[in-house]
Amino acid sequence: DQQVKQNSPSLSVQEGRISILNCDYTNSMFDYFLWYKKYPAEGPTFLISISSIKDKNEDGRFTVFLNKSAKHLSLHIVPSQPGDSAVYFCAASIQGAQKLVFGQGTRLTINP
Amino acid sequence: DSGVTQTPKHLITATGQRVTLRCSPRSGDLSVYWYQQSLDQGLQFLIQYYNGEERAKGNILERFSAQQFPDLHSELNLSSLELGDSALYFCASSGQGTTNSPLHFGNGTRLTVT
């Protein structure tokens, strides 16, 4: 039972443009969402999070949007840079719980 | 550098064998999580320890076990290994016992079972 889904295994974007990564979830109990970024041969690193009491959270070039009614969140990267090329994982949890549920990841490639 | 250290980086072993993966959390973090990433899959939660005590269990097989020692390092033991156990195993740590504070991941141990 895949509770968190990233339906696009890969995404290619031109440098300077906007990258939009999508994530859907099925468990309506989830109320805390995170994005992690992973480079090859490294562990995932935390990027940005959002609580279900908000619908948007911004940190520099990164913005996460949450649509609770659609059970959908997205990560926007503007402008995209070559260093953003990585695998991005969406994750969800119930606040106060002990485990994160991860999506399968989306490989983002930024082309010069 | 996340501050989380995992050893070894790579491990190749045969079916039926037993291996131990080791994790040292970030200084000051009390909580350790273990995740498994199989090919093209997301990270699957295995188990969590907080200050030496098991706190939560995920999809961990009975052939797998873990523990957290008084110095807070953790070991994941995998026994009677099968080909399907080949995967990346990540350890993560956090200061709190919940996922409200982001997890800090090590670079993983790549296990290959032949």
Side-chain angles (χ1 to χ4, degrees):
Chain A
D1 177 23
Q2 193 70 31
Q3 298 186 66
V4 177
K5 294 182 183 179
Q6 294 175 255
N7 291 318
S8 298
S10 62
L11 177 66
S12 188
V13 174
Q14 194 169 2
E15 182 179 359
R17 299 287 186 103
I18 182 171
S19 295
I20 300 176
L21 296 98
N22 294 303
C23 177
D24 296 298
Y25 61 96
T26 57
N27 189 340
S28 58
M29 298 293 290
F30 287 145
D31 57 6
Y32 186 60
F33 304 89
L34 308 89
W35 284 93
Y36 280 80
K37 174 179 178 179
K38 184 183 180 304
Y39 292 119
E42 294 183 11
T45 56
F46 170 72
L47 199 53
I48 192 168
S49 64
I50 187 167
S51 166
S52 61
I53 62 173
K54 294 185 173 182
D55 54 19
K56 176 183 173 181
N57 189 26
E58 195 171 348
D59 183 1
R61 297 186 297 113
F62 303 91
T63 302
V64 55
F65 295 91
L66 176 62
N67 183 333
K68 290 185 289 294
S69 61
K71 295 191 180 69
H72 177 84
L73 66 154
S74 61
L75 174 68
H76 292 210
I77 306 173
V78 183
S80 300
Q81 298 175 355
D84 297 329
S85 295
V87 177
Y88 288 78
F89 290 97
C90 165
S93 75
I94 301 168
Q95 289 209 46
Q98 277 77 44
K99 72 173 188 179
L100 283 177
V101 180
F102 282 84
Q104 307 95 308
T106 297
R107 183 178 301 278
L108 175 65
T109 303
I110 306 301
N111 302 308
Chain B
D1 183 6
S2 68
V4 178
T5 303
Q6 287 188 249
T7 57
K9 288 185 180 179
H10 302 277
L11 202 47
I12 302 174
T13 189
T15 54
Q17 295 298 305
R18 172 190 166 95
V19 297
T20 297
L21 313 184
R22 182 187 168 102
C23 169
S24 294
R26 282 191 327 162
S27 177
D29 282 356
L30 299 178
S31 200
V32 169
Y33 301 76
W34 286 97
Y35 281 83
Q36 178 193 55
Q37 185 186 17
S38 301
L39 191 63
D40 294 331
Q41 298 291 313
L43 286 82
Q44 301 292 322
F45 171 71
L46 295 178
I47 198 165
Q48 181 217 358
Y49 280 82
Y50 179 79
N51 203 20
E53 300 290 325
E54 181 183 306
R55 180 65 71 91
K57 228 171 185 177
N59 301 323
I60 187 166
L61 300 171
E62 285 192 13
R63 301 183 285 108
F64 296 1
S65 65
Q67 58 186 115
Q68 186 179 28
F69 294 87
D71 66 353
L72 301 177
H73 91 271
S74 177
E75 292 181 356
L76 179 67
N77 300 296
L78 316 176
S79 62
S80 303
L81 284 167
E82 301 175 0
L83 295 177
D85 298 327
S86 296
L88 263 171
Y89 291 84
F90 287 103
C91 169
S93 73
S94 73
Q96 301 176 19
T98 72
T99 53
N100 289 4
S101 60
L103 304 185
H104 300 271
F105 284 83
N107 288 339
T109 293
R110 182 174 293 280
L111 173 67
T112 303
V113 182
T114 61

PDB file of all heavy atoms in Angstrom, chain B residues 4-33:
ATOM      1  N   VAL B   4      26.032  11.862  10.665  1.00  0.00           N
ATOM      2  CA  VAL B   4      25.640  10.478  10.906  1.00  0.00           C
ATOM      3  C   VAL B   4      26.610   9.581  10.135  1.00  0.00           C
ATOM      4  O   VAL B   4      26.792   9.752   8.933  1.00  0.00           O
ATOM      5  CB  VAL B   4      24.199  10.206  10.430  1.00  0.00           C
ATOM      6  CG1 VAL B   4      23.821   8.742  10.642  1.00  0.00           C
ATOM      7  CG2 VAL B   4      23.223  11.124  11.165  1.00  0.00           C
ATOM      8  N   THR B   5      27.216   8.630  10.838  1.00  0.00           N
ATOM      9  CA  THR B   5      28.231   7.771  10.230  1.00  0.00           C
ATOM     10  C   THR B   5      27.723   6.340  10.137  1.00  0.00           C
ATOM     11  O   THR B   5      27.258   5.777  11.138  1.00  0.00           O
ATOM     12  CB  THR B   5      29.519   7.791  11.066  1.00  0.00           C
ATOM     13  OG1 THR B   5      29.973   9.135  11.195  1.00  0.00           O
ATOM     14  CG2 THR B   5      30.611   6.962  10.389  1.00  0.00           C
ATOM     15  N   GLN B   6      27.829   5.801   8.932  1.00  0.00           N
ATOM     16  CA  GLN B   6      27.424   4.414   8.720  1.00  0.00           C
ATOM     17  C   GLN B   6      28.602   3.610   8.201  1.00  0.00           C
ATOM     18  O   GLN B   6      29.326   4.061   7.321  1.00  0.00           O
ATOM     19  CB  GLN B   6      26.280   4.322   7.701  1.00  0.00           C
ATOM     20  CG  GLN B   6      24.948   4.799   8.219  1.00  0.00           C
ATOM     21  CD  GLN B   6      23.835   4.502   7.244  1.00  0.00           C
ATOM     22  OE1 GLN B   6      23.257   5.404   6.623  1.00  0.00           O
ATOM     23  NE2 GLN B   6      23.490   3.220   7.108  1.00  0.00           N
ATOM     24  N   THR B   7      28.780   2.421   8.752  1.00  0.00           N
ATOM     25  CA  THR B   7      29.815   1.514   8.272  1.00  0.00           C
ATOM     26  C   THR B   7      29.262   0.104   8.183  1.00  0.00           C
ATOM     27  O   THR B   7      28.350  -0.258   8.937  1.00  0.00           O
ATOM     28  CB  THR B   7      31.037   1.506   9.224  1.00  0.00           C
ATOM     29  OG1 THR B   7      30.587   1.156  10.539  1.00  0.00           O
ATOM     30  CG2 THR B   7      31.721   2.842   9.243  1.00  0.00           C
ATOM     31  N   PRO B   8      29.726  -0.720   7.230  1.00  0.00           N
ATOM     32  CA  PRO B   8      30.610  -0.314   6.138  1.00  0.00           C
ATOM     33  C   PRO B   8      29.832   0.411   5.040  1.00  0.00           C
ATOM     34  O   PRO B   8      28.612   0.453   5.081  1.00  0.00           O
ATOM     35  CB  PRO B   8      31.146  -1.655   5.638  1.00  0.00           C
ATOM     36  CG  PRO B   8      30.021  -2.606   5.876  1.00  0.00           C
ATOM     37  CD  PRO B   8      29.354  -2.144   7.156  1.00  0.00           C
ATOM     38  N   LYS B   9      30.520   0.942   4.053  1.00  0.00           N
ATOM     39  CA  LYS B   9      29.839   1.589   2.926  1.00  0.00           C
ATOM     40  C   LYS B   9      29.267   0.553   1.974  1.00  0.00           C
ATOM     41  O   LYS B   9      28.194   0.739   1.388  1.00  0.00           O
ATOM     42  CB  LYS B   9      30.814   2.486   2.174  1.00  0.00           C
ATOM     43  CG  LYS B   9      31.192   3.732   2.919  1.00  0.00           C
ATOM     44  CD  LYS B   9      32.062   4.635   2.057  1.00  0.00           C
ATOM     45  CE  LYS B   9      32.424   5.893   2.822  1.00  0.00           C
ATOM     46  NZ  LYS B   9      33.288   6.794   2.029  1.00  0.00           N
ATOM     47  N   HIS B  10      30.018  -0.519   1.791  1.00  0.00           N
ATOM     48  CA  HIS B  10      29.603  -1.587   0.887  1.00  0.00           C
ATOM     49  C   HIS B  10      29.799  -2.927   1.589  1.00  0.00           C
ATOM     50  O   HIS B  10      30.743  -3.097   2.366  1.00  0.00           O
ATOM     51  CB  HIS B  10      30.432  -1.589  -0.402  1.00  0.00           C
ATOM     52  CG  HIS B  10      30.381  -0.314  -1.161  1.00  0.00           C
ATOM     53  ND1 HIS B  10      29.370   0.011  -2.029  1.00  0.00           N
ATOM     54  CD2 HIS B  10      31.234   0.757  -1.172  1.00  0.00           C
ATOM     55  CE1 HIS B  10      29.598   1.200  -2.551  1.00  0.00           C
ATOM     56  NE2 HIS B  10      30.713   1.675  -2.056  1.00  0.00           N
ATOM     57  N   LEU B  11      28.907  -3.848   1.252  1.00  0.00           N
ATOM     58  CA  LEU B  11      28.985  -5.179   1.841  1.00  0.00           C
ATOM     59  C   LEU B  11      28.487  -6.164   0.796  1.00  0.00           C
ATOM     60  O   LEU B  11      27.376  -6.004   0.263  1.00  0.00           O
ATOM     61  CB  LEU B  11      28.101  -5.215   3.083  1.00  0.00           C
ATOM     62  CG  LEU B  11      28.320  -6.243   4.182  1.00  0.00           C
ATOM     63  CD1 LEU B  11      29.777  -6.344   4.576  1.00  0.00           C
ATOM     64  CD2 LEU B  11      27.466  -5.893   5.390  1.00  0.00           C
ATOM     65  N   ILE B  12      29.323  -7.156   0.496  1.00  0.00           N
ATOM     66  CA  ILE B  12      28.916  -8.213  -0.433  1.00  0.00           C
ATOM     67  C   ILE B  12      28.988  -9.525   0.321  1.00  0.00           C
ATOM     68  O   ILE B  12      30.031  -9.853   0.912  1.00  0.00           O
ATOM     69  CB  ILE B  12      29.829  -8.252  -1.679  1.00  0.00           C
ATOM     70  CG1 ILE B  12      29.803  -6.908  -2.397  1.00  0.00           C
ATOM     71  CG2 ILE B  12      29.385  -9.376  -2.624  1.00  0.00           C
ATOM     72  CD1 ILE B  12      30.779  -6.808  -3.555  1.00  0.00           C
ATOM     73  N   THR B  13      27.901 -10.266   0.282  1.00  0.00           N
ATOM     74  CA  THR B  13      27.865 -11.514   1.015  1.00  0.00           C
ATOM     75  C   THR B  13      26.981 -12.514   0.281  1.00  0.00           C
ATOM     76  O   THR B  13      26.328 -12.178  -0.709  1.00  0.00           O
ATOM     77  CB  THR B  13      27.363 -11.281   2.455  1.00  0.00           C
ATOM     78  OG1 THR B  13      27.538 -12.474   3.228  1.00  0.00           O
ATOM     79  CG2 THR B  13      25.898 -10.892   2.455  1.00  0.00           C
ATOM     80  N   ALA B  14      26.982 -13.723   0.779  1.00  0.00           N
ATOM     81  CA  ALA B  14      26.224 -14.787   0.102  1.00  0.00           C
ATOM     82  C   ALA B  14      24.897 -15.050   0.800  1.00  0.00           C
ATOM     83  O   ALA B  14      24.704 -14.681   1.965  1.00  0.00           O
ATOM     84  CB  ALA B  14      27.066 -16.061   0.082  1.00  0.00           C
ATOM     85  N   THR B  15      24.004 -15.679   0.076  1.00  0.00           N
ATOM     86  CA  THR B  15      22.707 -16.040   0.661  1.00  0.00           C
ATOM     87  C   THR B  15      22.920 -16.932   1.878  1.00  0.00           C
ATOM     88  O   THR B  15      23.874 -17.722   1.923  1.00  0.00           O
ATOM     89  CB  THR B  15      21.806 -16.770  -0.349  1.00  0.00           C
ATOM     90  OG1 THR B  15      22.523 -17.894  -0.868  1.00  0.00           O
ATOM     91  CG2 THR B  15      21.389 -15.855  -1.483  1.00  0.00           C
ATOM     92  N   GLY B  16      22.066 -16.751   2.860  1.00  0.00           N
ATOM     93  CA  GLY B  16      22.145 -17.547   4.073  1.00  0.00           C
ATOM     94  C   GLY B  16      23.046 -16.968   5.145  1.00  0.00           C
ATOM     95  O   GLY B  16      23.002 -17.414   6.297  1.00  0.00           O
ATOM     96  N   GLN B  17      23.849 -15.990   4.791  1.00  0.00           N
ATOM     97  CA  GLN B  17      24.788 -15.413   5.736  1.00  0.00           C
ATOM     98  C   GLN B  17      24.117 -14.372   6.636  1.00  0.00           C
ATOM     99  O   GLN B  17      22.956 -14.003   6.443  1.00  0.00           O
ATOM    100  CB  GLN B  17      25.961 -14.769   4.996  1.00  0.00           C
ATOM    101  CG  GLN B  17      26.821 -15.755   4.230  1.00  0.00           C
ATOM    102  CD  GLN B  17      27.473 -16.779   5.143  1.00  0.00           C
ATOM    103  OE1 GLN B  17      28.158 -16.443   6.106  1.00  0.00           O
ATOM    104  NE2 GLN B  17      27.228 -18.046   4.857  1.00  0.00           N
ATOM    105  N   ARG B  18      24.905 -13.869   7.599  1.00  0.00           N
ATOM    106  CA  ARG B  18      24.433 -12.850   8.530  1.00  0.00           C
ATOM    107  C   ARG B  18      25.411 -11.684   8.486  1.00  0.00           C
ATOM    108  O   ARG B  18      26.628 -11.897   8.414  1.00  0.00           O
ATOM    109  CB  ARG B  18      24.391 -13.443   9.937  1.00  0.00           C
ATOM    110  CG  ARG B  18      24.104 -12.467  11.053  1.00  0.00           C
ATOM    111  CD  ARG B  18      24.331 -13.134  12.414  1.00  0.00           C
ATOM    112  NE  ARG B  18      24.376 -12.166  13.488  1.00  0.00           N
ATOM    113  CZ  ARG B  18      23.342 -11.825  14.235  1.00  0.00           C
ATOM    114  NH1 ARG B  18      22.160 -12.379  14.028  1.00  0.00           N
ATOM    115  NH2 ARG B  18      23.464 -10.928  15.202  1.00  0.00           N
ATOM    116  N   VAL B  19      24.864 -10.460   8.523  1.00  0.00           N
ATOM    117  CA  VAL B  19      25.717  -9.266   8.522  1.00  0.00           C
ATOM    118  C   VAL B  19      25.225  -8.290   9.584  1.00  0.00           C
ATOM    119  O   VAL B  19      24.065  -8.347  10.019  1.00  0.00           O
ATOM    120  CB  VAL B  19      25.734  -8.562   7.142  1.00  0.00           C
ATOM    121  CG1 VAL B  19      26.327  -9.470   6.071  1.00  0.00           C
ATOM    122  CG2 VAL B  19      24.337  -8.098   6.752  1.00  0.00           C
ATOM    123  N   THR B  20      26.124  -7.386   9.962  1.00  0.00           N
ATOM    124  CA  THR B  20      25.780  -6.333  10.923  1.00  0.00           C
ATOM    125  C   THR B  20      26.154  -4.985  10.336  1.00  0.00           C
ATOM    126  O   THR B  20      27.293  -4.780   9.902  1.00  0.00           O
ATOM    127  CB  THR B  20      26.521  -6.546  12.251  1.00  0.00           C
ATOM    128  OG1 THR B  20      26.100  -7.782  12.822  1.00  0.00           O
ATOM    129  CG2 THR B  20      26.211  -5.404  13.218  1.00  0.00           C
ATOM    130  N   LEU B  21      25.190  -4.087  10.301  1.00  0.00           N
ATOM    131  CA  LEU B  21      25.410  -2.723   9.841  1.00  0.00           C
ATOM    132  C   LEU B  21      25.447  -1.815  11.057  1.00  0.00           C
ATOM    133  O   LEU B  21      24.646  -1.974  11.975  1.00  0.00           O
ATOM    134  CB  LEU B  21      24.276  -2.282   8.898  1.00  0.00           C
ATOM    135  CG  LEU B  21      23.862  -3.256   7.800  1.00  0.00           C
ATOM    136  CD1 LEU B  21      22.804  -2.638   6.906  1.00  0.00           C
ATOM    137  CD2 LEU B  21      25.047  -3.696   6.990  1.00  0.00           C
ATOM    138  N   ARG B  22      26.355  -0.842  11.007  1.00  0.00           N
ATOM    139  CA  ARG B  22      26.553  -0.001  12.177  1.00  0.00           C
ATOM    140  C   ARG B  22      26.250   1.456  11.863  1.00  0.00           C
ATOM    141  O   ARG B  22      26.501   1.932  10.751  1.00  0.00           O
ATOM    142  CB  ARG B  22      27.993  -0.137  12.654  1.00  0.00           C
ATOM    143  CG  ARG B  22      28.334   0.636  13.899  1.00  0.00           C
ATOM    144  CD  ARG B  22      29.821   0.591  14.206  1.00  0.00           C
ATOM    145  NE  ARG B  22      30.164   1.558  15.235  1.00  0.00           N
ATOM    146  CZ  ARG B  22      30.371   1.244  16.507  1.00  0.00           C
ATOM    147  NH1 ARG B  22      30.283  -0.022  16.904  1.00  0.00           N
ATOM    148  NH2 ARG B  22      30.678   2.184  17.389  1.00  0.00           N
ATOM    149  N   CYS B  23      25.746   2.150  12.869  1.00  0.00           N
ATOM    150  CA  CYS B  23      25.379   3.560  12.697  1.00  0.00           C
ATOM    151  C   CYS B  23      25.747   4.337  13.954  1.00  0.00           C
ATOM    152  O   CYS B  23      25.384   3.943  15.067  1.00  0.00           O
ATOM    153  CB  CYS B  23      23.882   3.676  12.447  1.00  0.00           C
ATOM    154  SG  CYS B  23      23.227   5.365  12.515  1.00  0.00           S
ATOM    155  N   SER B  24      26.431   5.465  13.750  1.00  0.00           N
ATOM    156  CA  SER B  24      26.688   6.400  14.846  1.00  0.00           C
ATOM    157  C   SER B  24      25.886   7.664  14.576  1.00  0.00           C
ATOM    158  O   SER B  24      26.093   8.313  13.544  1.00  0.00           O
ATOM    159  CB  SER B  24      28.175   6.733  14.941  1.00  0.00           C
ATOM    160  OG  SER B  24      28.907   5.595  15.309  1.00  0.00           O
ATOM    161  N   PRO B  25      24.973   8.031  15.460  1.00  0.00           N
ATOM    162  CA  PRO B  25      24.138   9.210  15.208  1.00  0.00           C
ATOM    163  C   PRO B  25      24.920  10.507  15.380  1.00  0.00           C
ATOM    164  O   PRO B  25      26.060  10.510  15.853  1.00  0.00           O
ATOM    165  CB  PRO B  25      23.044   9.086  16.272  1.00  0.00           C
ATOM    166  CG  PRO B  25      23.705   8.342  17.390  1.00  0.00           C
ATOM    167  CD  PRO B  25      24.667   7.390  16.738  1.00  0.00           C
ATOM    168  N   ARG B  26      24.291  11.609  14.983  1.00  0.00           N
ATOM    169  CA  ARG B  26      24.872  12.931  15.225  1.00  0.00           C
ATOM    170  C   ARG B  26      25.052  13.127  16.715  1.00  0.00           C
ATOM    171  O   ARG B  26      24.260  12.627  17.525  1.00  0.00           O
ATOM    172  CB  ARG B  26      23.928  14.039  14.723  1.00  0.00           C
ATOM    173  CG  ARG B  26      23.909  14.287  13.273  1.00  0.00           C
ATOM    174  CD  ARG B  26      23.143  15.573  12.952  1.00  0.00           C
ATOM    175  NE  ARG B  26      22.045  15.852  13.851  1.00  0.00           N
ATOM    176  CZ  ARG B  26      21.472  17.041  13.980  1.00  0.00           C
ATOM    177  NH1 ARG B  26      21.934  18.072  13.276  1.00  0.00           N
ATOM    178  NH2 ARG B  26      20.457  17.220  14.793  1.00  0.00           N
ATOM    179  N   SER B  27      26.087  13.871  17.061  1.00  0.00           N
ATOM    180  CA  SER B  27      26.340  14.148  18.461  1.00  0.00           C
ATOM    181  C   SER B  27      25.109  14.801  19.099  1.00  0.00           C
ATOM    182  O   SER B  27      24.582  15.787  18.578  1.00  0.00           O
ATOM    183  CB  SER B  27      27.547  15.082  18.579  1.00  0.00           C
ATOM    184  OG  SER B  27      27.778  15.424  19.916  1.00  0.00           O
ATOM    185  N   GLY B  28      24.643  14.226  20.185  1.00  0.00           N
ATOM    186  CA  GLY B  28      23.500  14.784  20.896  1.00  0.00           C
ATOM    187  C   GLY B  28      22.155  14.220  20.494  1.00  0.00           C
ATOM    188  O   GLY B  28      21.168  14.416  21.205  1.00  0.00           O
ATOM    189  N   ASP B  29      22.092  13.536  19.351  1.00  0.00           N
ATOM    190  CA  ASP B  29      20.809  12.954  18.920  1.00  0.00           C
ATOM    191  C   ASP B  29      20.547  11.661  19.678  1.00  0.00           C
ATOM    192  O   ASP B  29      21.421  10.801  19.784  1.00  0.00           O
ATOM    193  CB  ASP B  29      20.815  12.674  17.421  1.00  0.00           C
ATOM    194  CG  ASP B  29      20.596  13.927  16.598  1.00  0.00           C
ATOM    195  OD1 ASP B  29      20.360  15.000  17.198  1.00  0.00           O
ATOM    196  OD2 ASP B  29      20.651  13.825  15.357  1.00  0.00           O
ATOM    197  N   LEU B  30      19.346  11.515  20.182  1.00  0.00           N
ATOM    198  CA  LEU B  30      18.987  10.338  20.957  1.00  0.00           C
ATOM    199  C   LEU B  30      18.256   9.281  20.139  1.00  0.00           C
ATOM    200  O   LEU B  30      18.158   8.128  20.540  1.00  0.00           O
ATOM    201  CB  LEU B  30      18.094  10.737  22.140  1.00  0.00           C
ATOM    202  CG  LEU B  30      18.702  11.706  23.152  1.00  0.00           C
ATOM    203  CD1 LEU B  30      17.689  12.050  24.239  1.00  0.00           C
ATOM    204  CD2 LEU B  30      19.963  11.118  23.782  1.00  0.00           C
ATOM    205  N   SER B  31      17.717   9.701  19.007  1.00  0.00           N
ATOM    206  CA  SER B  31      16.852   8.817  18.231  1.00  0.00           C
ATOM    207  C   SER B  31      17.552   8.334  16.970  1.00  0.00           C
ATOM    208  O   SER B  31      18.180   9.123  16.270  1.00  0.00           O
ATOM    209  CB  SER B  31      15.574   9.573  17.869  1.00  0.00           C
ATOM    210  OG  SER B  31      14.548   8.681  17.533  1.00  0.00           O
ATOM    211  N   VAL B  32      17.425   7.051  16.696  1.00  0.00           N
ATOM    212  CA  VAL B  32      18.016   6.453  15.498  1.00  0.00           C
ATOM    213  C   VAL B  32      16.924   5.701  14.737  1.00  0.00           C
ATOM    214  O   VAL B  32      16.120   4.993  15.338  1.00  0.00           O
ATOM    215  CB  VAL B  32      19.157   5.474  15.868  1.00  0.00           C
ATOM    216  CG1 VAL B  32      19.578   4.666  14.654  1.00  0.00           C
ATOM    217  CG2 VAL B  32      20.343   6.237  16.423  1.00  0.00           C
ATOM    218  N   TYR B  33      16.903   5.920  13.437  1.00  0.00           N
ATOM    219  CA  TYR B  33      15.944   5.254  12.560  1.00  0.00           C
ATOM    220  C   TYR B  33      16.720   4.428  11.540  1.00  0.00           C
ATOM    221  O   TYR B  33      17.767   4.862  11.058  1.00  0.00           O
ATOM    222  CB  TYR B  33      15.113   6.289  11.785  1.00  0.00           C
ATOM    223  CG  TYR B  33      14.317   7.255  12.642  1.00  0.00           C
ATOM    224  CD1 TYR B  33      14.938   8.306  13.300  1.00  0.00           C
ATOM    225  CD2 TYR B  33      12.937   7.139  12.751  1.00  0.00           C
ATOM    226  CE1 TYR B  33      14.214   9.202  14.065  1.00  0.00           C
ATOM    227  CE2 TYR B  33      12.202   8.037  13.514  1.00  0.00           C
ATOM    228  CZ  TYR B  33      12.846   9.066  14.167  1.00  0.00           C
ATOM    229  OH  TYR B  33      12.121   9.960  14.920  1.00  0.00           O
TER     230      TYR B  33
END
